[in-house]
Amino acid sequence: MQTKTGNPAVIGLAGFGMTTFVLQMVNIGLLDNMGPVLWLGVFVGGLAQLVAGFQTGKTGNNFGYSAFTIYGAFWLAFAGILVGNKLGFYTSSHTDIGFFLLPFTIYTGIMFYGALHIHTAEASIFGSLLLGFILLVLGHFGPAFFNVIAGYVLILCSFCAWYVMAHIIYKDVCGRDVLPVGSPVLQPGEKVSAAEAVAAE
């Protein structure tokens, strides 16, 4: 008899959405204290997402495994930047943080293409996240008003993440699809086995 296991995505999406949302309160000027961002970055966006990522890896879902693990590590690294700047060691300037954000922007672009093959709601998460990262990079290398625009875009992104989280939970507890997530924007091709993928390389 197979034991039912929980879907780690409900933790990863929740942690990502919560931490992203609170950071945007800083970007749009509603929150002055970075303390909540630091601790959310360590425990909720960071550790919770890492755990979700490691658990997702056991299911064979490479997309979720990569996303939750990398973005979890992102939040831990960002928390480290906040601590370093506060304590005065390995301090990072506004431009330095722009360089920190740049590879995550590229990574998100790669993941966005994959999200287009999952469903519309997933594509909405990664599409808004990609746009938000682009705006943040522009804001750290150029005019700061791009950071404010990014804040509003990423608030939308956090709600998209919570929507998909709620979709998974409600479908499980209600026994029906309460919050539909749409069809894939791009249709996936025929899946190949792991052995065939290795042979193709």
Side-chain angles (χ1 to χ4, degrees):
M1 183 174 179
Q2 188 173 6
T3 304
K4 178 182 176 181
T5 59
N7 187 339
V10 298
I11 301 299
L13 289 165
F16 170 80
M18 291 174 185
T19 315
T20 300
F21 180 84
V22 175
L23 177 58
Q24 304 328 303
M25 297 299 103
V26 176
N27 284 334
I28 67 176
L30 295 181
L31 178 64
D32 295 325
N33 184 1
M34 291 292 281
V37 178
L38 169 63
W39 297 116
L40 281 168
V42 172
F43 293 105
V44 183
L47 293 178
Q49 272 204 94
L50 279 181
V51 171
F54 296 151
Q55 292 297 318
T56 303
K58 296 177 182 178
T59 70
N61 179 352
N62 284 322
F63 183 91
Y65 179 31
S66 178
F68 292 134
T69 305
I70 291 298
Y71 291 124
F74 165 86
W75 283 113
L76 289 173
F78 186 71
I81 289 175
L82 295 180
V83 171
N85 281 356
K86 186 67 175 179
L87 299 182
F89 67 93
Y90 290 113
T91 57
S92 301
S93 68
H94 210 57
T95 303
D96 293 335
I97 295 175
F99 281 109
F100 168 77
L101 294 170
L102 186 57
F104 288 101
T105 306
I106 297 169
Y107 171 79
T108 303
I110 295 169
M111 297 298 284
F112 174 56
Y113 179 73
L116 292 172
H117 293 78
I118 299 175
H119 48 62
T120 306
E122 194 78 21
S124 298
I125 296 173
F126 282 86
S128 56
L129 182 59
L130 176 59
L131 178 57
F133 266 125
I134 291 171
L135 290 167
L136 285 174
V137 169
L138 291 174
H140 282 78
F141 287 118
F145 71 83
F146 282 115
N147 293 325
V148 179
I149 301 173
Y152 289 105
V153 171
L154 291 170
I155 287 172
L156 173 62
C157 179
S158 66
F159 277 97
C160 290
W162 288 332
Y163 181 92
V164 175
M165 175 206 72
H167 156 77
I168 298 170
I169 292 174
Y170 293 163
K171 191 172 183 179
D172 181 45
V173 300
C174 300
R176 58 189 177 88
D177 196 358
V178 178
L179 297 174
V181 292
S183 303
V185 178
L186 300 177
Q187 292 300 318
E190 184 178 347
K191 292 186 179 295
V192 298
S193 67
E196 289 174 324
V198 172
E201 294 176 357

